[in-house]
Amino acid sequence: MERIEKRKMDRISALPDSLIGHILSFLPTKTAVSTSLLSRRWRYLWQHLQDFNFQLDQDDQDQDQDEGEGEQYHWSFVHFSAFVNGVLVQRRNRDIRKFRLLSSYAVEGSFHERSLNYWLLAAIGPQLQHLDLSLYVVGPYNFMWFPSSSVLRGIFSCTSLISLTLDGLICVKNISSVHLPALRTMRLSIGGSFPMDKIFSGCPLLEDLYLHFNVRNTPKINFPNSLKRLEVHGCKLSTPREVEVEIDAPALEYLTFFLFIGLSQFTVNNLHNVKVADLNLCPRECQGEDHLYYIHMLLNALNRVKKLHLRSSTIEVLSKLTISHITHLVDLIYHGGDDSLIS
């Protein structure tokens, strides 16, 4: 009777290896590996994974409170590195399809650099479709990771890559060329400068873009015309800066535009298919007739939008308009128009 009950309860173990592997691919890799302790049946199943999700949790870095911060972060990373290396060495399927790495980069040193480079080189291959790399700040440290030329070349010439996320303290300014013919989704939120035009020009099928940039190193942005979804965030700066922006995206349907800096030039075309727009433009130091004109230009291009959300900074600028201007603006939003908002 007990055997019958156990068989009924352990239905998952009766599933084919391929299906169990698919289920494990949705778990953090640390959890997936721990299933090897369940029974002999599960001992080696994780070694056939093609999807990896490595996360250096904040809890792992808070275990030794008595140690100095630098030592604490270093040893947390050492233990994390041993786990990641062990998994990558023991895997039986050499082709990685999805690779996500969430880690701190709190102590500058060759060990950290070598580890990150090794893991990325292990992940890059002809089957890699999704790459998500996030390096976050812990404590007072703020070191930048400079990937090796082999890593940069491998990432930005991976022809099978469908989605790419680079987030945090990663420097990619030394990219020699970009060839990502299959890339559909990109998330860039990294420190320092990076060659936007070179990156965008190498992604002919890019549809979904999230961009968080530092205008100090970005004087001009030309967005790809293949986009269907665009979310832009410009960093707030203590001193006024200006950037030149051009958007010409006839397929764009969703636009989020948070720009906390000035615009030296703003060109928008072919936004007639945008359904939803969320705008936050023109902080106090950037108000003026030019910026009212840019707002008018953008709203004019969005005259077929179905849902429009104007944030506080934009509303603050618009509140300075006369009643006649506001009436014209409302008419512009709902019915379209070509007349200038600035009289």
Side-chain angles (χ1 to χ4, degrees):
M1 182 66 70
E2 286 186 14
R3 289 185 178 180
I4 296 176
E5 289 299 323
K6 287 182 179 180
R7 287 176 183 174
K8 288 183 179 180
M9 292 174 60
D10 192 14
R11 294 180 179 178
I12 295 181
S13 295
L15 297 174
D17 287 359
S18 58
L19 187 53
I20 294 178
H22 181 67
I23 295 172
L24 292 179
S25 68
F26 291 97
L27 301 175
T29 302
K30 187 175 182 180
T31 304
V33 172
S34 67
T35 61
S36 63
L37 302 175
L38 294 176
S39 69
R40 186 176 301 174
R41 166 83 171 85
W42 289 77
R43 183 172 298 173
Y44 302 112
L45 290 178
W46 68 267
Q47 295 182 357
H48 298 275
L49 285 174
Q50 288 184 284
D51 298 2
F52 295 93
N53 183 356
F54 296 107
Q55 301 180 38
L56 177 56
D57 298 326
Q58 189 70 36
D59 293 341
D60 296 338
Q61 302 188 29
D62 295 336
Q63 293 176 351
D64 300 319
Q65 297 293 335
D66 295 334
E67 296 185 17
E69 285 185 321
E71 283 294 313
Q72 178 184 332
Y73 298 140
H74 172 73
W75 286 112
S76 295
F77 188 86
V78 168
H79 297 150
F80 177 67
S81 177
F83 171 73
V84 176
N85 290 336
V87 170
L88 294 178
V89 168
Q90 296 180 63
R91 62 194 169 100
R92 298 185 181 184
N93 194 326
R94 311 314 295 176
D95 293 324
I96 294 179
R97 182 176 54 205
K98 183 177 181 179
F99 191 85
R100 181 172 186 258
L101 175 64
L102 174 63
S103 173
S104 64
Y105 189 62
V107 180
E108 191 174 35
S110 58
F111 174 73
H112 291 70
E113 294 173 0
R114 287 199 307 269
S115 297
L116 294 171
N117 284 323
Y118 170 72
W119 299 337
L120 268 295
L121 287 175
I124 296 167
Q127 302 300 320
L128 184 64
Q129 297 181 359
H130 307 278
L131 177 60
D132 184 341
L133 176 60
S134 300
L135 299 182
Y136 57 88
V137 180
V138 288
Y141 305 99
N142 192 24
F143 297 117
M144 184 75 68
W145 176 53
F146 292 83
S148 68
S149 57
S150 299
V151 169
L152 285 178
R153 184 167 55 252
I155 292 176
F156 288 98
S157 63
C158 184
T159 57
S160 59
L161 206 59
I162 296 174
S163 68
L164 172 63
T165 296
L166 297 176
D167 187 2
L169 305 175
I170 308 167
C171 180
V172 299
K173 66 179 181 179
N174 295 324
I175 302 171
S176 57
S177 63
V178 177
H179 181 57
L180 299 171
L183 195 71
R184 303 277 182 169
T185 302
M186 179 185 290
R187 179 185 176 94
L188 293 176
S189 179
I190 53 182
S193 61
F194 51 97
M196 288 191 194
D197 287 347
K198 183 182 291 186
I199 293 175
F200 294 158
S201 63
C203 309
L205 300 182
L206 187 62
E207 295 179 347
D208 190 342
L209 173 63
Y210 174 97
L211 177 65
H212 189 282
F213 69 97
N214 187 337
V215 70
R216 186 177 290 110
N217 302 304
T218 312
K220 184 177 181 179
I221 309 175
N222 292 318
F223 291 103
N225 58 17
S226 58
L227 291 176
K228 292 184 178 180
R229 182 184 294 270
L230 173 62
E231 184 169 349
V232 180
H233 296 263
C235 293
K236 291 183 178 181
L237 298 174
S238 57
T239 57
R241 300 274 178 164
E242 291 193 338
V243 63
E244 181 179 338
V245 174
E246 181 176 345
I247 306 176
D248 187 348
L252 193 66
E253 296 181 1
Y254 302 93
L255 174 65
T256 299
F257 207 68
F258 284 22
L259 207 57
F260 299 104
I261 43 82
L263 294 167
S264 60
Q265 185 174 337
F266 191 40
T267 305
V268 289
N269 293 297
N270 294 319
L271 299 184
H272 49 271
N273 284 321
V274 175
K275 299 176 182 177
V276 179
D278 188 356
L279 308 179
N280 194 1
L281 303 169
C282 299
R284 290 185 178 89
E285 65 268 17
C286 295
Q287 293 176 5
E289 285 199 355
D290 286 343
H291 296 88
L292 284 171
Y293 173 73
Y294 293 144
I295 293 176
H296 167 251
M297 182 190 300
L298 182 55
L299 291 174
N300 187 27
L302 295 171
N303 57 25
R304 296 184 185 178
V305 69
K306 294 182 178 179
K307 183 178 180 181
L308 177 64
H309 187 185
L310 298 179
R311 300 285 177 146
S312 57
S313 295
T314 306
I315 293 175
E316 184 177 349
V317 176
L318 294 177
S319 67
K320 300 179 182 299
L321 301 177
T322 63
I323 296 298
S324 61
H325 283 156
I326 295 175
T327 302
H328 174 77
L329 180 59
V330 172
D331 181 69
L332 176 67
I333 294 172
Y334 286 101
H335 304 292
D338 296 319
D339 298 331
S340 174
L341 182 64
I342 307 298
S343 59

